[in-house]
Amino acid sequence: HISYSSVIAKQLAEKYQVKTGWIPFGFHLTKGQFEEVVSENRPEIRRACFVGNPDGLRVDILKRLVSEDVPVSLYGFGWERFFEKSDLVEIHPPRRAGSFWSDPTEFWKILRQYRIQLNFFRPHNEGSHNLRTFEVPAVGGILLTPESAEQSEFFEVEREIFVYKDYVTLLQQCQRLLAMDSSRIDKVRRSARDKSLT
Protein backbone atom coordinates (compact mmCIF):
# COMPACT_ATOMS: atom_id res chain seq x y z
CA HIS A 1 0.00 0.00 0.00
CA ILE A 2 1.44 3.34 -1.05
CA SER A 3 0.31 6.79 0.07
CA TYR A 4 1.44 10.37 -0.60
CA SER A 5 1.07 10.92 3.17
CA SER A 6 3.45 9.44 5.74
CA VAL A 7 0.65 9.93 8.29
CA ILE A 8 -1.76 7.75 6.29
CA ALA A 9 0.96 5.18 5.51
CA LYS A 10 1.71 4.88 9.23
CA GLN A 11 -1.99 4.49 10.08
CA LEU A 12 -2.37 1.72 7.46
CA ALA A 13 0.66 -0.14 8.80
CA GLU A 14 -0.47 0.09 12.42
CA LYS A 15 -4.16 -0.65 11.88
CA TYR A 16 -3.89 -3.42 9.28
CA GLN A 17 -0.31 -4.68 9.78
CA VAL A 18 0.43 -4.31 6.06
CA LYS A 19 3.56 -3.13 4.29
CA THR A 20 3.30 0.50 3.31
CA GLY A 21 5.33 2.95 1.29
CA TRP A 22 5.45 6.73 1.20
CA ILE A 23 5.79 8.64 -2.07
CA PRO A 24 5.25 12.39 -1.66
CA PHE A 25 3.60 14.47 -4.35
CA GLY A 26 5.81 16.30 -6.81
CA PHE A 27 5.35 18.84 -9.58
CA HIS A 28 5.02 18.61 -13.37
CA LEU A 29 6.62 21.92 -14.35
CA THR A 30 9.21 21.33 -17.07
CA LYS A 31 12.42 23.33 -17.41
CA GLY A 32 11.06 24.84 -20.63
CA GLN A 33 7.81 25.89 -18.98
CA PHE A 34 9.72 27.45 -16.08
CA GLU A 35 11.90 29.40 -18.49
CA GLU A 36 8.78 30.61 -20.33
CA VAL A 37 7.21 31.77 -17.05
CA VAL A 38 10.33 33.65 -15.98
CA SER A 39 11.03 35.17 -19.41
CA GLU A 40 7.57 36.74 -19.49
CA ASN A 41 8.68 38.77 -16.46
CA ARG A 42 5.19 39.54 -15.17
CA PRO A 43 5.11 42.22 -12.48
CA GLU A 44 4.47 40.97 -8.96
CA ILE A 45 0.94 41.43 -7.66
CA ARG A 46 1.07 42.36 -3.97
CA ARG A 47 -2.01 40.41 -2.91
CA ALA A 48 -2.80 37.02 -1.41
CA CYS A 49 -3.99 34.52 -4.01
CA PHE A 50 -5.89 31.27 -3.77
CA VAL A 51 -6.11 28.85 -6.68
CA GLY A 52 -8.84 26.25 -6.16
CA ASN A 53 -12.56 25.85 -5.77
CA PRO A 54 -14.64 27.03 -2.81
CA ASP A 55 -15.70 24.91 0.14
CA GLY A 56 -16.97 25.90 3.59
CA LEU A 57 -13.54 26.03 5.24
CA ARG A 58 -11.93 28.04 2.45
CA VAL A 59 -14.80 30.52 2.18
CA ASP A 60 -14.82 31.10 5.94
CA ILE A 61 -11.06 31.72 6.19
CA LEU A 62 -10.96 33.95 3.12
CA LYS A 63 -13.90 36.03 4.34
CA ARG A 64 -12.11 36.54 7.65
CA LEU A 65 -8.93 37.65 5.87
CA VAL A 66 -10.87 40.10 3.69
CA SER A 67 -12.57 41.50 6.81
CA GLU A 68 -9.04 42.26 8.11
CA ASP A 69 -8.19 44.16 4.89
CA VAL A 70 -6.06 41.44 3.30
CA PRO A 71 -6.52 41.77 -0.49
CA VAL A 72 -7.36 38.40 -2.05
CA SER A 73 -7.47 37.16 -5.65
CA LEU A 74 -9.46 33.98 -6.31
CA TYR A 75 -9.07 31.55 -9.21
CA GLY A 76 -11.52 28.69 -9.43
CA PHE A 77 -15.08 27.70 -10.25
CA GLY A 78 -17.91 29.21 -8.20
CA TRP A 79 -16.31 31.95 -6.08
CA GLU A 80 -18.89 34.49 -7.29
CA ARG A 81 -21.52 32.62 -5.22
CA PHE A 82 -19.72 33.58 -2.00
CA PHE A 83 -17.97 36.90 -2.67
CA GLU A 84 -18.75 40.25 -4.24
CA LYS A 85 -15.98 41.81 -6.31
CA SER A 86 -14.39 44.80 -4.57
CA ASP A 87 -11.01 46.46 -4.04
CA LEU A 88 -10.19 43.64 -1.62
CA VAL A 89 -11.66 40.73 -3.63
CA GLU A 90 -10.78 39.82 -7.21
CA ILE A 91 -12.62 36.89 -8.76
CA HIS A 92 -11.08 35.49 -11.94
CA PRO A 93 -13.46 33.55 -14.18
CA PRO A 94 -12.45 30.45 -16.17
CA ARG A 95 -10.33 31.31 -19.21
CA ARG A 96 -12.08 28.84 -21.53
CA ALA A 97 -14.92 26.29 -21.46
CA GLY A 98 -14.08 22.94 -19.92
CA SER A 99 -10.75 24.05 -18.46
CA PHE A 100 -9.93 26.92 -16.15
CA TRP A 101 -6.65 28.02 -17.79
CA SER A 102 -6.15 29.37 -21.30
CA ASP A 103 -2.96 27.28 -21.67
CA PRO A 104 -0.86 25.02 -19.39
CA THR A 105 1.70 27.66 -18.45
CA GLU A 106 -0.88 30.21 -17.26
CA PHE A 107 -1.38 28.18 -14.05
CA TRP A 108 2.35 28.43 -13.30
CA LYS A 109 2.47 32.14 -14.14
CA ILE A 110 -0.33 32.82 -11.65
CA LEU A 111 1.37 30.76 -8.92
CA ARG A 112 4.53 32.82 -9.34
CA GLN A 113 3.09 36.28 -9.91
CA TYR A 114 1.39 36.92 -6.57
CA ARG A 115 3.13 37.96 -3.36
CA ILE A 116 1.38 35.14 -1.45
CA GLN A 117 -0.04 31.81 -2.58
CA LEU A 118 -2.39 30.56 0.14
CA ASN A 119 -2.61 26.85 0.87
CA PHE A 120 -5.30 25.19 2.99
CA PHE A 121 -5.41 21.56 4.10
CA ARG A 122 -8.51 19.47 3.91
CA PRO A 123 -8.89 17.06 6.88
CA HIS A 124 -7.10 14.17 5.12
CA ASN A 125 -4.04 16.39 4.55
CA GLU A 126 -3.61 17.50 8.17
CA GLY A 127 -0.04 16.86 9.30
CA SER A 128 0.97 15.96 5.75
CA HIS A 129 1.11 17.96 2.50
CA ASN A 130 -0.74 18.43 -0.77
CA LEU A 131 0.03 19.30 -4.40
CA ARG A 132 0.53 23.01 -3.73
CA THR A 133 3.31 22.11 -1.28
CA PHE A 134 5.50 21.36 -4.29
CA GLU A 135 3.89 23.30 -7.13
CA VAL A 136 4.26 26.79 -5.64
CA PRO A 137 7.94 26.56 -4.64
CA ALA A 138 8.80 24.83 -7.95
CA VAL A 139 7.85 27.92 -9.92
CA GLY A 140 9.38 30.32 -7.41
CA GLY A 141 6.11 31.25 -5.75
CA ILE A 142 5.70 32.34 -2.14
CA LEU A 143 3.85 29.55 -0.33
CA LEU A 144 1.93 30.25 2.89
CA THR A 145 0.77 26.86 4.11
CA PRO A 146 -0.41 25.09 7.27
CA GLU A 147 2.40 23.99 9.57
CA SER A 148 3.21 20.28 9.24
CA ALA A 149 6.16 18.02 9.97
CA GLU A 150 6.16 16.64 6.42
CA GLN A 151 6.43 20.03 4.75
CA SER A 152 9.29 20.94 7.09
CA GLU A 153 11.13 17.86 5.81
CA PHE A 154 10.87 19.13 2.25
CA PHE A 155 11.39 22.88 2.66
CA GLU A 156 13.08 25.18 5.14
CA VAL A 157 10.49 27.35 6.87
CA GLU A 158 11.08 31.12 6.57
CA ARG A 159 13.70 30.54 3.86
CA GLU A 160 11.76 28.60 1.20
CA ILE A 161 8.16 28.51 2.48
CA PHE A 162 6.11 30.21 5.19
CA VAL A 163 3.71 28.47 7.58
CA TYR A 164 0.84 29.22 9.92
CA LYS A 165 -0.63 27.31 12.89
CA ASP A 166 -4.10 28.86 13.13
CA TYR A 167 -6.14 31.77 11.85
CA VAL A 168 -4.28 34.32 14.01
CA THR A 169 -0.87 33.30 12.67
CA LEU A 170 -2.29 33.08 9.12
CA LEU A 171 -3.40 36.71 9.35
CA GLN A 172 -0.08 37.78 10.88
CA GLN A 173 1.88 36.02 8.14
CA CYS A 174 -0.28 37.59 5.41
CA GLN A 175 0.29 41.07 6.83
CA ARG A 176 4.00 40.40 7.25
CA LEU A 177 4.51 38.99 3.75
CA LEU A 178 2.53 41.76 2.07
CA ALA A 179 4.77 44.32 3.80
CA MET A 180 8.03 42.43 3.29
CA ASP A 181 10.87 43.99 1.33
CA SER A 182 10.95 42.90 -2.33
CA SER A 183 14.61 41.87 -2.15
CA ARG A 184 13.79 39.39 0.64
CA ILE A 185 10.86 38.03 -1.37
CA ASP A 186 13.09 37.59 -4.44
CA LYS A 187 15.57 35.64 -2.33
CA VAL A 188 12.80 33.33 -1.08
CA ARG A 189 11.63 32.78 -4.66
CA ARG A 190 15.14 31.70 -5.73
CA SER A 191 15.64 29.48 -2.66
CA ALA A 192 12.25 27.80 -3.15
CA ARG A 193 13.01 27.03 -6.80
CA ASP A 194 16.52 25.76 -6.00
CA LYS A 195 15.24 23.44 -3.26
CA SER A 196 12.54 22.12 -5.58
CA LEU A 197 15.19 21.08 -8.09
CA THR A 198 17.55 19.50 -5.57
Side-chain angles (χ1 to χ4, degrees):
H1 298 268
I2 298 170
S3 176
Y4 73 94
S5 167
S6 65
V7 176
I8 293 172
K10 183 180 178 193
Q11 289 171 346
L12 287 171
E14 290 173 354
K15 186 170 182 177
Y16 300 105
Q17 289 77 51
V18 294
K19 289 184 180 180
T20 61
W22 175 43
I23 302 177
F25 285 127
F27 60 90
H28 60 280
L29 174 68
T30 67
K31 183 179 178 186
Q33 287 172 321
F34 177 75
E35 289 168 356
E36 180 184 336
V37 169
V38 172
S39 69
E40 191 169 310
N41 199 27
R42 289 186 175 191
E44 181 187 62
I45 299 172
R46 201 176 282 230
R47 299 174 68 93
C49 177
F50 181 71
V51 177
N53 298 323
D55 64 23
L57 171 77
R58 294 167 175 179
V59 168
D60 178 58
I61 292 172
L62 289 164
K63 282 188 174 185
R64 291 176 74 185
L65 288 175
V66 170
S67 75
E68 298 279 357
D69 295 327
V70 174
V72 174
S73 296
L74 303 169
Y75 291 80
F77 296 99
W79 287 108
E80 63 281 350
R81 294 193 320 261
F82 303 98
F83 290 90
E84 297 271 332
K85 289 183 180 182
S86 69
D87 289 343
L88 288 172
V89 179
E90 287 182 347
I91 301 172
H92 294 266
R95 306 304 201 232
R96 62 186 175 121
S99 174
F100 192 85
W101 306 105
S102 60
D103 66 74
T105 58
E106 187 182 16
F107 167 73
W108 300 105
K109 291 171 185 175
I110 295 302
L111 289 188
R112 182 178 173 94
Q113 189 172 16
Y114 283 84
R115 172 57 64 97
I116 302 168
Q117 282 297 332
L118 295 168
N119 190 21
F120 306 123
F121 283 170
R122 289 203 161 115
H124 59 274
N125 297 121
E126 292 293 334
S128 182
H129 69 283
N130 60 14
L131 286 168
R132 293 294 186 270
T133 300
F134 293 102
E135 290 169 334
V136 175
V139 75
I142 305 296
L143 179 67
L144 179 54
T145 187
E147 186 177 67
S148 78
E150 271 188 20
Q151 290 183 125
S152 297
E153 286 184 45
F154 308 134
F155 295 100
E156 187 177 332
V157 174
E158 294 289 316
R159 185 170 185 269
E160 296 152 354
I161 64 169
F162 296 88
V163 300
Y164 61 91
K165 297 177 187 177
D166 51 28
Y167 175 74
V168 172
T169 55
L170 170 62
L171 175 61
Q172 290 169 345
Q173 287 285 55
C174 283
Q175 292 167 335
R176 178 175 164 241
L177 287 165
L178 289 169
M180 195 172 281
D181 181 78
S182 294
S183 62
R184 169 91 194 276
I185 291 293
D186 289 343
K187 189 173 181 182
V188 173
R189 291 182 187 283
R190 288 190 300 273
S191 296
R193 171 66 180 171
D194 290 346
K195 177 59 75 67
S196 297
L197 295 177
T198 58

